[in-house]
């Protein structure tokens, strides 16, 4: 005769397997809570070809920009494809293409910290 504990454990394992089998696909299919909200035009998404500020590429390089903020800064997403696969970069920049410069202090809606205050006069 088998011990009762083994049967209970086996039953609990079956229940757990059913819960995982049902819950995981449901979570995977559920979209984010704000799926109906329009995307932020300042934040590009190169994987979805969402580039409100412009998109270009050449060879193994692809660039995707968001809309500029009032201070001229903008999010700049780019990918470089290597033998091991693509690598993605996401930067706050300022200036113009093809080689943008650093953003102003406080750029990209405050993502870049403002310049530190000047030291007190002695």
């Amino acid at each position: 005769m088998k011990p009762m504990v083994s049967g209970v454990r086996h039953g609990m394992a079956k229940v757990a397997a059913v819960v995982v089998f049902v819950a995981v696909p449901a979570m995977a299919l559920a979209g984010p809570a704000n799926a109906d909200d329009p995307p932020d035009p300042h934040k590009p998404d190169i994987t979805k070809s969402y580039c409100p500020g412009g998109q270009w590429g050449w060879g193994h390089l692809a660039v995707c920009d968001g809309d500029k903020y009032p201070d001229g800064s903008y999010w700049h997403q780019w990918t470089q494809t290597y033998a091991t696969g693509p690598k993605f970069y996401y930067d706050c920049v300022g200036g113009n293409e093809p080689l943008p410069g650093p953003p102003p202090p406080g750029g990209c809606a405050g993502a870049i910290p403002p310049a530190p205050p000047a030291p007190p006069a002695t």
Side-chain angles (χ1 to χ4, degrees):
M1 184 171 172
K2 291 185 177 181
M4 184 66 160
V5 174
S6 176
V8 171
R9 286 185 186 157
H10 185 68
M12 290 173 62
K14 284 183 181 178
V15 170
V18 168
V19 168
V20 169
F21 184 74
V22 172
V24 170
M27 289 187 292
L29 293 175
N34 58 356
D36 295 334
D37 292 345
D40 184 347
H42 295 289
K43 297 183 179 174
D45 187 348
I46 200 167
T47 62
K48 295 179 181 170
S49 201
Y50 179 70
C51 308
Q55 179 177 14
W56 62 273
W58 185 70
H60 296 283
L61 175 70
V63 176
C64 179
D65 293 329
D67 278 345
K68 289 186 176 184
Y69 290 97
D71 65 0
S73 63
Y74 60 98
W75 288 107
H76 178 79
Q77 189 176 25
W78 56 286
T79 181
Q80 178 77 40
T81 304
Y82 300 96
T84 56
K87 186 166 182 179
F88 294 90
Y89 303 89
Y90 202 77
D91 304 311
C92 177
V93 297
N96 293 317
E97 290 291 346
L99 300 173
C108 293
I112 305 303
T122 55

